[in-house]
Amino acid sequence: MPTTSSQDLDLATYLRNRDMTIPKLHVGQRLFLCVLSIFVIFAASLILFQQSRERQYKRDALNSQLQEYNYRIFSEMERKGMDFASANNTLETFPNDNLRLTIIGENGNVLLDSEHGEIATMTNHSDRIEIREAKKNGAGSDYDRNSTTTGRKYFYSATYFPTAKVFVRTALPYDDELADNLKADQHYIWVALFLLGLLSLILWQFLVRLGNNIENLQKFAIKVDRNESLTERDIESFHKDELGDIAKRIVRLYKRLTETQEQQTRLKKELTQNVAHELKTPVASIHGYMETLLTNPDIPQETRLQFMERCFVQTKRLSSLIQDISTLNKLDDKESETLSDEPVDISAVIATIMNDTALQRSERKMEFCNKLPQGVVVRGEYSLIYSIFRNLTDNAIAYAGDSTTITLQGHETRTSWFFEFSDNGVGVPEKCLPRLFERFYRVDKGRSRSMGGTGLGLAIVKNAILRHGGTISAMNRRGGGLIFLFSLKK
């Protein structure tokens, strides 16, 4: 069995502790280093390229000047019948005293050299770089090369004249002065370094802010993963820039979504409690009547029938409650349930409702005044649109009061129909208006239950209208009564 030495354990402990103490660079710092590296490489390449181009330009300028000397010297020689001595005389007219002149034959033999009188001892020059280039291209140059004749370094420039079959070569000593003149200007480097430093500072400021925003987003993600609550400080920790604004919006949207989910959970809990409470009353009534009937077989027939009728009323209330809850669930289930998109004749719907509620209105001496024009057609699901007008009618019959009038009128726009459903009854207290469309909300709970209502009618109305892309509001009518204003798409 392998064993681990104490030295191995100490090394592992050291490495682990070292890794723990090394600060981890966040994304902004890593991005800064990457971009800075690119900047440095680009700046260094640009500087080297510029330096090389400037040196080459200065060498070319000097070579052009020496080439001009070569042509002037040859012109003077040609004018005097190729007298080489005249070449030395011409050399003295040039402003540079250090200028060296060499005339070389086509075979590479030196015919004249201003720095060396004994040309017979000079080696053949056909292998010189500037001579080979001049032979090939008409002109050639070389720089910073030691002369085998004088032992000094020169800048050479040679020109080939094929008519005379000679090379005219001038040269300048490649001393410190000439080297400095041919050197590239260093001010460009300092300007480039200054700009690089300035860009690096700006980049650092930007990327640090970027890194902080990303780091705060990471903290936000960790909090979300751990289901921790978010505070306003979490939102304000982002910097005021584009990414910070986007991050703030994301955090606020998540916070709003969380609050909405919590509200939905609370509403579902309240709905469950309300449903249980609403079911409890009719079930308890039915249970009590049935228990009385079963434990007292000698109850008079008239009382028995009365109990049975009350049980039947309570079962109808249970059926209505279950049907309304089913309708609301259908309206809430937006993903799995899609509304049918068919033309619905509102005039026909109202005619059906007036016929179905004629007996109830007659008992309460109520009138239904339908002021809608003929041919009012909207698009949607018939059953839900029917439930909108039926629940509003039932609500008015139940709560408006005896000898009142229900009035329905509407007007159209290019895309929608706007309806006004009103009664001239007792209305509701102003403080109750904002809560009329809540599930199981009742202005007068005792009276509402005695009327047999489920407390879900107006909630169904609102949700059905919203599912059809409309809006609804309620207000008290001047002079008494209640008005519902709502819209449906044509």
Side-chain angles (χ1 to χ4, degrees):
M1 182 175 179
T3 58
T4 304
S5 66
S6 60
Q7 292 181 349
D8 293 337
L9 290 175
D10 292 341
L11 179 60
T13 303
Y14 166 74
L15 291 174
R16 185 169 60 252
N17 293 335
R18 185 194 66 176
D19 293 337
M20 292 176 63
T21 57
I22 294 177
K24 185 178 180 181
L25 297 176
H26 61 67
V27 63
Q29 293 171 332
R30 294 198 300 271
L31 187 58
F32 170 77
L33 292 177
C34 292
V35 177
L36 182 62
S37 300
I38 295 174
F39 276 5
V40 170
I41 293 173
F42 177 77
S45 302
L46 193 62
I47 290 172
L48 291 175
F49 176 75
Q50 188 274 340
Q51 294 279 296
S52 175
R53 285 294 300 272
E54 188 173 351
R55 285 195 298 268
Q56 186 62 42
Y57 172 78
K58 289 185 175 182
R59 287 197 295 265
D60 291 343
L62 180 59
N63 183 49
S64 296
Q65 184 181 8
L66 295 178
Q67 287 288 318
E68 183 184 353
Y69 290 167
N70 293 343
Y71 276 99
R72 288 171 60 184
I73 291 170
F74 179 76
S75 296
E76 185 66 23
M77 286 169 48
E78 191 177 34
R79 189 173 65 83
K80 295 184 177 182
M82 297 304 295
D83 181 11
F84 294 154
S86 62
N88 275 326
N89 295 332
T90 305
L91 189 66
E92 294 175 357
T93 63
F94 296 148
N96 199 319
D97 296 336
N98 295 324
L99 192 65
R100 176 187 175 188
L101 171 64
T102 308
I103 299 176
I104 304 165
E106 189 178 29
N107 58 1
N109 294 327
V110 178
L111 304 177
L112 173 71
D113 190 277
S114 61
E115 296 289 333
H116 194 72
E118 299 179 1
I119 58 175
T121 61
M122 297 180 68
T123 59
N124 189 282
H125 281 41
S126 59
D127 62 340
R128 302 296 194 267
I129 294 175
E130 67 276 9
I131 300 300
R132 290 202 307 266
E133 289 182 359
K135 179 72 173 179
K136 182 178 179 181
N137 303 319
S141 63
D142 192 16
Y143 67 95
D144 196 12
R145 191 186 78 221
N146 279 321
S147 170
T148 57
T149 303
T150 64
R152 298 173 66 187
K153 289 184 178 181
Y154 285 92
F155 185 102
Y156 298 98
S157 179
T159 307
Y160 178 57
F161 297 96
T163 56
K165 296 183 179 180
V166 294
F167 297 91
V168 177
R169 187 185 73 176
T170 51
L172 281 173
Y174 202 88
D175 52 15
D176 293 339
E177 182 180 357
L178 182 61
D180 288 339
N181 290 334
L182 294 179
K183 191 183 299 183
D185 189 4
Q186 302 298 314
H187 292 89
Y188 178 83
I189 299 177
W190 296 113
V191 172
L193 291 177
F194 172 76
L195 292 177
L196 178 62
L198 182 62
L199 287 175
S200 300
L201 181 62
I202 297 172
L203 179 68
W204 170 258
Q205 294 292 329
F206 172 75
L207 292 182
V208 163
R209 293 166 67 92
L210 176 67
N212 289 336
N213 283 332
I214 295 176
E215 189 175 1
N216 289 330
L217 272 176
Q218 185 181 28
K219 292 178 181 178
F220 161 70
I222 293 173
K223 280 194 171 185
V224 170
D225 186 55
R226 295 175 179 175
N227 290 324
E228 297 179 4
S229 60
L230 298 173
T231 62
E232 194 64 27
R233 184 178 180 183
D234 295 321
I235 299 176
E236 297 303 324
S237 61
F238 295 98
H239 289 285
K240 294 181 179 179
D241 51 27
E242 289 82 358
L243 181 60
D245 291 339
I246 294 172
K248 286 180 181 179
R249 291 179 183 273
I250 292 174
V251 176
R252 286 195 177 101
L253 283 173
Y254 174 79
K255 191 176 180 182
R256 196 180 306 159
L257 178 62
T258 305
E259 291 173 352
T260 302
Q261 290 176 341
E262 292 175 353
Q263 185 179 9
Q264 288 177 345
T265 303
R266 186 176 66 255
L267 290 175
K268 286 181 180 180
K269 185 177 180 180
E270 292 177 358
L271 178 61
T272 303
Q273 293 174 345
N274 288 331
V275 169
H277 182 72
E278 293 296 328
L279 291 174
K280 182 179 179 181
T281 302
V283 169
S285 297
I286 295 171
H287 179 271
Y289 290 132
M290 295 302 294
E291 184 179 15
T292 301
L293 291 173
L294 290 174
T295 55
N296 298 280
D298 298 331
I299 293 178
Q301 186 66 22
E302 183 180 351
T303 305
R304 183 182 296 274
L305 288 174
Q306 185 179 7
F307 282 6
M308 294 296 288
E309 288 175 357
R310 291 178 180 175
C311 285
F312 179 69
V313 170
Q314 294 298 329
T315 56
K316 285 179 63 178
R317 183 182 173 191
L318 277 175
S319 178
S320 298
L321 185 60
I322 293 171
Q323 183 178 356
D324 286 349
I325 292 173
S326 177
T327 302
L328 279 174
N329 286 336
K330 179 181 179 181
L331 290 170
D332 288 339
D333 193 3
K334 297 181 181 179
E335 295 182 358
S336 62
E337 293 288 343
T338 56
L339 293 178
S340 59
D341 188 21
E342 57 182 343
V344 180
D345 188 345
I346 299 297
S347 301
V349 170
I350 298 303
T352 302
I353 292 174
M354 291 177 66
N355 184 60
D356 292 344
T357 60
L359 181 60
Q360 296 169 277
R361 288 187 289 108
S362 176
E363 291 175 352
R364 307 205 63 177
K365 300 177 182 180
M366 297 180 69
E367 294 183 6
F368 196 119
C369 183
N370 181 15
K371 295 184 179 181
L372 290 179
Q374 291 296 320
V376 179
V377 178
V378 298
R379 300 196 67 85
E381 188 167 314
Y382 178 87
S383 61
L384 292 180
I385 292 177
Y386 175 87
S387 69
I388 292 171
F389 292 95
R390 180 57 190 264
N391 278 295
L392 288 174
T393 303
D394 289 343
N395 185 76
I397 293 173
Y399 305 115
D402 296 339
S403 302
T404 55
T405 301
I406 301 171
T407 304
L408 176 62
Q409 51 189 336
H411 66 277
E412 65 177 325
T413 63
R414 187 173 60 87
T415 58
S416 304
W417 271 97
F418 285 84
F419 299 95
E420 180 179 317
F421 191 100
S422 62
D423 62 70
N424 58 350
V426 295
V428 298
E430 287 292 331
K431 65 178 182 180
C432 298
L433 286 174
R435 302 190 61 188
L436 277 183
F437 300 105
E438 292 182 11
R439 301 175 185 187
F440 298 110
Y441 180 76
R442 292 183 173 90
V443 177
D444 187 343
K445 296 183 179 180
R447 182 169 176 265
S448 297
R449 287 199 176 90
S450 66
M451 298 297 295
T454 63
L456 297 174
L458 293 182
I460 292 174
V461 170
K462 179 180 179 180
N463 283 273
I465 290 174
L466 293 177
R467 284 296 302 275
H468 283 83
T471 58
I472 185 170
S473 60
M475 64 183 70
N476 280 318
R477 180 173 172 271
R478 185 176 298 176
L482 198 61
I483 301 176
F484 293 94
L485 302 173
F486 59 97
S487 63
L488 292 172
K489 291 185 177 179
K490 295 170 71 172

